[in-house]
Amino acid sequence: MLTPLGRGTAAASAVLYAAGWWLGYPEPAALAVAGLAAVAAAAVWTLPRPKLEVRREIAPAKVGRGEPATGILHVTSAGRGVRGLTARDAAGAAEIAVDVPRLRAGATRTVSYALPTDRRGRIPVGPLRLVRADPLRLARRVRAYGEPGTLLVRPRTVVLPPLPSGRAHHLEGPTSDRSPAGTATFHALREYVIGDELRHVHWKSSARTGTLMVRQLVDASLPTTTVVLEARPDRWAEPDDFELAVDAAASVAAGAAAAGFPVKVLTGNGPVAETRGGPGDVEEILDRLTGVAVRECPQSTIDVVRRVRAGGSLIVVAPGDAETARIAAVRRRFDRVVVLRVRPDGPAPAPPGVLVADLAELDGLAETWRRLGSTR
């Protein structure tokens, strides 16, 4: 494939040759022949297909929004030496180009490049293409290698403790996830780890899978943290405000899940994530919140709140004009009700029984959350 420079050189050389021949001047014709010869040599340079082994890694495969992620490219020459290689990788709508150093026969080169993580979502990475060009950049040959990958850019979070529920629940977190009595209930099966009680072994599943499996029990009496996220497009004027709201909702939900409490995350379109308290809950919540976007919702935030099961803590994350007075109508159904207003235009009074906090930046959420936890 000729590059734009190569096509321009070929066209100019042809015109120059015709002009020199028409006017009877040998110098322009000789210069034109040199140009055409350079284009032909460039095409021959890029014609052979090099024997390459190419492997791309994404490290890490899951990151928080704004955190660094790297593409690592390993290129091995299985034949003769190769030079003039450029790797081009697609990451979402962006294209990343990185030069590959000269490869000797049998040698391996490793190059790395930053992947964009400024926007949350599942970012398709690839296809990876290797471009071989001649030194004058008159011709190039592009070949695709490997399979596309995916970079999961999840919400950015800060560490938050769960809010006290205001009732006599387990103050030190779940205490009966290994106890078959009381309010403990079956949650899932998982592989046996050293220290598990043998009475929790599920022998039928162990025989079927060939791996020792145990029943995971959780305490069903633990208070649930319910996070309701406003996701209607007419309520969010700026995309960055909604991203901050998702980050805040993820921080609250992940903090409660890390402490072993059940968590529900909902929008006007229904449940986003629901966990019962157990290992892996934080990862599940962050993965589910990765795909949340503003879209038309059949229910308003108030409608969602009214349908939430009573008990535990209710946290509503909404824009600055959140209707706190209407949310206050359900305050008696929950141990604690909190409204996080994202970048409001001004302060708003807190209705009785409802804690209202304004959020301008995620880094300030931890201090705000500490004050809310100490408020009665």
Side-chain angles (χ1 to χ4, degrees):
M1 297 175 57
L2 294 181
T3 64
L5 178 60
R7 291 193 294 270
T9 301
S13 297
V15 172
L16 193 61
Y17 183 85
W21 179 81
W22 179 264
L23 297 174
Y25 290 102
E27 292 83 1
L31 187 60
V33 170
L36 292 173
V39 173
V44 172
W45 176 283
T46 58
L47 184 61
R49 181 184 180 95
K51 296 181 179 179
L52 300 174
E53 296 177 1
V54 182
R55 180 169 55 91
R56 186 230 293 113
E57 301 175 12
I58 300 175
K62 298 179 180 182
V63 296
R65 185 169 63 91
E67 296 177 355
T70 304
I72 304 173
L73 186 63
H74 307 278
V75 184
T76 301
S77 175
R80 296 182 300 177
V82 183
R83 63 179 178 177
L85 284 178
T86 301
R88 294 185 180 273
D89 207 0
E95 184 176 77
I96 304 166
V98 57
D99 291 332
V100 179
R102 179 180 178 181
L103 280 167
R104 298 184 182 276
T108 299
R109 293 286 190 177
T110 299
V111 294
S112 60
Y113 46 94
L115 297 173
T117 61
D118 55 326
R119 283 296 174 185
R120 174 179 49 86
R122 294 181 179 272
I123 310 300
V125 180
L128 173 68
R129 296 171 296 164
L130 288 184
V131 182
R132 190 186 184 198
D134 68 288
L136 297 178
R137 297 296 190 267
L138 298 177
R140 66 180 182 181
R141 187 168 294 274
V142 182
R143 294 184 175 91
Y145 290 86
E147 298 293 332
T150 301
L151 171 64
L152 201 65
V153 181
R154 306 191 296 187
R156 179 176 168 236
T157 60
V158 293
V159 178
L160 301 178
L163 286 176
S165 67
R167 296 183 183 177
H169 294 292
H170 301 280
L171 299 181
E172 297 181 356
T175 58
S176 58
D177 61 337
R178 295 176 182 270
S179 173
T183 58
T185 183
F186 173 77
H187 176 53
L189 290 174
R190 60 173 174 82
E191 292 187 12
Y192 173 86
V193 296
I194 297 176
D196 286 334
E197 298 183 25
L198 291 179
R199 59 180 173 173
H200 291 164
V201 173
H202 195 271
W203 296 108
K204 289 185 178 180
S205 297
S206 300
R208 184 173 61 252
T209 61
T211 303
L212 204 59
M213 306 293 291
V214 297
R215 290 183 293 267
Q216 178 190 338
L217 304 177
V218 296
D219 190 348
S221 69
L222 292 175
T224 299
T225 298
T226 302
V227 181
V228 178
L229 173 64
E230 175 62 74
R232 289 175 292 174
D234 59 329
R235 302 302 305 278
W236 299 100
E238 297 294 334
D240 288 344
D241 291 351
F242 180 71
E243 288 301 317
L244 177 58
V246 176
D247 292 346
S251 299
V252 173
F261 290 94
V263 174
K264 290 182 181 179
V265 183
L266 307 100
T267 69
N269 283 303
V272 175
E274 184 171 355
T275 64
R276 298 178 61 181
D281 284 358
V282 174
E283 293 295 310
E284 179 182 349
I285 289 171
L286 295 180
D287 288 351
R288 294 291 184 88
L289 281 169
T290 296
V292 170
V294 289
R295 57 172 58 94
E296 294 297 333
C297 302
Q299 303 179 80
S300 67
T301 302
I302 302 301
D303 293 334
V304 175
V305 169
R306 287 171 177 168
R307 288 172 171 79
V308 171
R309 184 178 178 181
S313 298
L314 172 67
I315 294 88
V316 178
V317 185
D321 58 350
E323 300 172 330
T324 54
R326 297 183 63 188
I327 296 174
V330 300
R331 67 184 184 275
R332 296 185 182 277
R333 299 177 55 226
F334 301 93
D335 303 339
R336 184 167 295 214
V337 176
V338 177
V339 178
L340 290 178
R341 302 196 315 151
V342 176
R343 293 175 180 158
D345 294 331
V354 176
L355 302 177
V356 178
D358 295 340
L359 180 63
E361 298 295 338
L362 186 65
D363 292 335
L365 179 58
E367 177 61 25
T368 300
W369 202 250
R370 185 190 64 79
R371 292 199 304 269
L372 293 175
S374 61
T375 304
R376 296 295 179 184

